[in-house]
Amino acid sequence: MAAIADDGLEKLTMAGLGREVGMSSGHLLYYFHSKDELLLRTLEWSEEQLGVERRSALARQVPVRERLDAFVQLYVPQAPRDPHWTLWLELWNRVRAIDDEARGRLLDIELSWHRDLVALLVEGASRGELRAVDAERIATRIRALLDGFSTHVAMGLPGSDREQVLAHIGDFFDETLS
């Protein structure tokens, strides 16, 4: 992930990566079969780590809005060239070139975030902490909002630093869910 964030996917070679991790490119290809598979497995590993953090944050016994904010904190990149988001963007850019099975694996990652968000919105409404909404529909909108803002943060677009983005998202939650 660090090599991709530092140099971008276009400069990443199996030989160069092998040197960084102390393996030959042949060993990398033996275990991963292709660069795309290596990248996808790296993203899945990263998402697994993030999923543990997300589930822990969502299980806390605090108001739903606090857990929703924690969800967003985990979702939005830390800064431009965030390694996780850089890898994510590189893989989605290559989605047309990968097979249906790999595309399905990317979708599984997306859906894990979506399911957690829907559950949080439903819980918030049932407790009277959030306005009752069509949770599936609003979760889709929220994810699109988060993806758009997160892409801007990851790319380092002016006016889209993490704090500004978090403020915009908080405003949207206040307007939509309060």
Side-chain angles (χ1 to χ4, degrees):
M1 286 179 57
I4 295 166
D6 290 343
D7 301 322
L9 187 59
E10 67 281 352
K11 292 183 182 176
L12 179 72
T13 64
M14 295 301 265
L17 182 60
R19 280 190 299 277
E20 282 197 40
V21 299
M23 294 179 83
S24 71
S25 59
H27 272 96
L28 288 174
L29 286 171
Y30 174 79
Y31 288 108
F32 298 104
H33 308 294
S34 72
K35 189 176 181 178
D36 286 339
E37 180 63 19
L38 172 71
L39 297 172
L40 183 53
R41 292 279 250 345
T42 302
L43 180 65
E44 287 171 330
W45 171 83
S46 175
E47 280 289 337
E48 185 178 310
Q49 308 308 306
L50 204 50
V52 169
E53 287 183 62
R54 186 176 71 239
R55 286 185 294 279
S56 174
L58 298 182
R60 291 178 40 227
Q61 297 300 312
V62 297
V64 171
R65 177 58 191 265
E66 284 183 41
R67 286 183 279 151
L68 187 58
D69 290 341
F71 178 97
V72 171
Q73 290 282 338
L74 289 169
Y75 199 103
V76 174
Q78 294 299 312
R81 299 175 67 118
D82 177 285
H84 179 83
W85 265 91
T86 300
L87 178 58
W88 186 246
L89 292 170
E90 292 283 5
L91 276 164
W92 274 115
N93 188 47
R94 298 168 67 91
V95 78
R96 288 188 325 265
I98 60 177
D99 62 27
D100 288 341
E101 187 267 336
R103 240 187 250 86
R105 289 161 59 194
L106 286 171
L107 181 59
D108 286 344
I109 292 169
E110 287 276 349
L111 292 177
S112 70
W113 286 91
H114 183 80
R115 284 188 299 269
D116 285 349
L117 182 54
V118 168
L120 201 52
L121 295 172
V122 168
E123 180 185 349
S126 72
R127 290 179 169 207
E129 294 178 34
L130 301 177
R131 186 167 64 90
V133 295
D134 179 338
E136 283 286 336
R137 181 172 162 266
I138 294 299
T140 298
R141 286 182 175 183
I142 290 171
R143 284 185 33 253
L145 178 78
L146 293 175
D147 284 346
F149 275 132
S150 293
T151 300
H152 290 185
V153 172
M155 293 172 51
L157 294 180
S160 296
D161 69 43
R162 181 177 164 82
E163 293 310 313
Q164 289 170 308
V165 162
L166 293 175
H168 284 302
I169 294 166
D171 291 346
F172 177 81
F173 288 164
D174 291 342
E175 294 164 8
T176 307
L177 300 173
S178 295

